[in-house]
Amino acid sequence: MAASATILGVAATSSVALAAQATPQPQPAAPAAQAMTPAVPAAPVEKLIVTYKSRTAEATSNDAAKSDAAEKGKKTGEKLAFERRLADGAALVDLGTDAAGKDAAKVMDAFRADPAVASVEPDVRAYPMAITPNDTDYAKQWDLFEPTGGMNVPGAWDTTTGSGVTVAVIDTGYAAHSDLAANTVAGYDFISDSADARDGNGRDGNPADEGDWNATDNECGFGSRASSSSWHGTHVAGTIAAVTDNAKGIAGVAYGSKVQHVRVLGKCGGSSADIADAITWASGGSVPGIPANATPAKVINLSLGGASSTCPTVYRNAINGAVSRGATVVVAAGNSNADASGFTPANCANVITVASTSREGNRSYYSNYGSTVDVSAPGGETRRATDTPGTVTTPENGILSTLNSGTTVQAGENYKPYQGTSMAAPHIAGLAALMKSAEPSLTPADIESAIKANARPLPGTCSGGCGAGIADATKTVNAVTGGGSTPGTGTTFTNTANVTISDGATATSPISVTGLTGNAPAALKVDVDIKHTYRGDLVIDLVAPDGSAYRLKDSSGSDATDNVLATYTVDASSETAGGTWTLRVRDVYTGDTGYIDSWGLTF
């Protein structure tokens, strides 16, 4: 009865469908690998880089360098040849195809003995570092690497693995797993009702998952079904930060990051009061009677939700507080094949709401959709839409992650595929951790904007709206670290937060542009969506990062039309593309009000 009295009767948003799994055979835990170390091929030394001291003839004259190489060749019995001058002035010397390792060492010794030589070193080979991890089940993680439905994660690992970032998984708690232990930091149990918590007490410092099974039908309200424990939080955590390249199990999206389990879901779900306090604590805020969080999270994953047409105040306050402390909040859109605006916290502001896509790049048949969705990510399908609910017919198309074999209480660790927007959200939380690690100055708004701007269209179909598309981890990380696109390539940045326009006042809405180099284009597109009952009252300017203002619209006493829905073209070629751009709206008359609904920039 207590659960049904909460605002949501909140439950995890995975569609819990499990593949058949053999009894797990736990392996000894391998040392945690914080960065993948590829097996570098032992390539022979074929060339040397010789740097001559300044003021020597060989330092400036190619003829002198050629003569010196020939002389060293005679001395060592090798066939040496000066090949070319490098940008820093060094000479590249070819050892010839027959040179062995001992020959190279002999030639290097000859150069080192020459007082005219400042240094000599082999011309070593370099190899791509975005290698395939050696985790035993990595090949099954299509969601990370397949070009159709995957999120293009491996290329991002060349730049960042998420180190230095804590990701809070506000969920069912932690079922001990050797593929997560090294990447797990202390969390907290926020379930205040001891019966729901199943641990004999209320809130405490132990976030262990005590199981969320239901023994009988209707136990959690009319229509609820008996079920086994889901170990949902552990599955979510594995997608984010499973230890990687340890010859075991799976790879995590941000395997260098740390996971913090914050337990809020127990028997019959969890309450919004507990979840809101958990959000506050996880982000470093103060909760009465609870010790301070020693390792506050910069990313929060909420793979949970319930039906509500509005975002409750308790959620709104907690989320806004977390964002103000620098935490990016990622939320699952829900699994009802309905508009996400009817579910919370998916419909709250200041969050990244994530829909689910299938291995074929379609919207997953169960995923919520609509304008509330910001972006999509792989959530998988462990069965086809037409198959009997509760069955598993396509386990290979689900999201494989860390789990536990217990049907009620914890037993042995294992791995299983799940489907759900609960599985999609941690892909985005992991990406946010990669971004925050690579560029610590990024704000939650920066992170959301960059993820959306660098997403790709669904290769399949999406009825109802799937946000900006499927997130692309490599493209997004490259964009925020300076390896992104240049102006003129159609990159779009948006701000969808509503800003009130009051009579006689000025309203502003910022957009942080990241990952673009050089100046803005001569045909910068400014999309404006303003809801107002008398548009003639409004003066609209685009303000560049340096403060320069570009007039988009003047006021007019004869323009009595409602709303401003327009695309303006601005010659911004004298402005640096990167930085904070602002839409400034002044209401110069009285009697009519409105708000900035959304606006965007296309470079």
Side-chain angles (χ1 to χ4, degrees), residues 13 168 170-171 275 279 300-304 319 329-332 345 351 425:
T13 60
I170 298 180
D171 214 292
I275 294 167
I279 293 169
I300 294 174
N301 189 92
L302 293 168
S303 286
L304 49 80
I319 290 168
V329 182
V330 180
V331 180
V351 303

Side-chain angles (χ1 to χ4, degrees), residues 149-525:
M151 211 173 78
N152 193 19
V153 174
W157 291 335
D158 275 349
T159 303
T160 173
T161 64
S163 62
V165 177
T166 297
V167 182
V169 175
I170 298 180
D171 214 292
T172 63
Y174 177 45
H177 204 292
S178 62
D179 214 5
L180 273 173
N183 281 348
T184 301
V185 298
Y188 210 84
D189 179 0
F190 271 87
I191 301 178
S192 53
D193 186 288
S194 60
D196 293 345
R198 286 185 164 135
D199 60 2
N201 56 27
R203 295 178 171 182
D204 59 54
N206 181 9
D209 192 336
E210 303 293 345
D212 58 354
W213 80 92
N214 297 322
T216 61
D217 289 350
N218 302 316
E219 187 176 359
C220 296
F222 182 76
S224 66
R225 304 297 299 272
S227 63
S228 300
S229 290
S230 67
W231 316 115
H232 186 271
T234 300
H235 197 282
V236 168
T239 295
I240 295 169
V243 178
T244 298
D245 212 42
N246 61 341
K248 175 183 177 65
I250 63 165
V253 172
Y255 64 84
S257 68
K258 301 296 183 184
V259 165
Q260 181 172 71
H261 290 275
V262 188
R263 187 174 181 234
V264 296
L265 303 179
K267 178 183 177 182
C268 302
S271 78
S272 58
D274 287 345
I275 294 167
D277 277 355
I279 293 169
T280 298
W281 181 85
S283 60
S286 176
V287 178
I290 307 298
N293 186 353
T295 54
K298 289 303 179 187
V299 181
I300 294 174
N301 189 92
L302 293 168
S303 286
L304 49 80
S308 176
S309 60
T310 60
C311 175
T313 300
V314 69
Y315 277 170
R316 184 167 63 249
N317 291 342
I319 290 168
N320 290 347
V323 171
S324 72
R325 288 184 284 274
T328 298
V329 182
V330 180
V331 180
N335 303 323
S336 299
N337 188 26
D339 196 305
S341 63
F343 298 81
T344 201
N347 59 6
C348 294
N350 272 344
V351 303
I352 303 175
T353 299
V354 187
S356 171
T357 52
S358 69
R359 191 170 184 174
E360 297 78 21
N362 303 306
R363 175 171 69 84
S364 299
Y365 68 85
Y366 53 79
S367 178
N368 286 353
Y369 51 80
S371 60
T372 301
V373 172
D374 293 301
V375 72
S376 298
E381 291 181 347
T382 57
R383 69 171 176 88
R384 293 178 292 272
T386 54
D387 292 340
T388 303
T391 62
V392 174
T393 56
T394 56
E396 70 279 5
N397 294 338
I399 305 300
L400 185 67
S401 191
T402 47
L403 212 68
N404 192 277
S405 63
T407 56
T408 55
V409 298
Q410 291 188 32
E413 68 178 40
N414 62 3
Y415 303 85
K416 283 189 178 182
Y418 275 5
Q419 65 175 23
T421 57
S422 277
M423 286 59 256
H427 285 81
I428 299 301
L431 174 53
L434 293 176
M435 298 165 69
K436 188 68 175 177
S437 175
E439 289 292 335
S441 64
L442 291 174
T443 66
D446 294 337
I447 289 172
E448 178 178 354
S449 179
I451 289 174
K452 290 158 69 172
N454 292 284
R456 59 188 173 89
L458 271 66
T461 60
C462 175
S463 56
C466 289
I470 300 176
D472 186 310
T474 298
K475 185 179 177 183
T476 304
V477 167
N478 285 343
V480 300
T481 56
S485 56
T486 56
T489 56
T491 304
T492 299
F493 299 83
T494 59
N495 187 338
T496 59
N498 292 350
V499 180
T500 300
I501 304 169
S502 302
D503 276 338
T506 299
T508 59
S509 177
I511 286 178
S512 179
V513 174
T514 60
L516 296 184
T517 58
N519 283 7
L524 176 65
K525 302 297 183 184

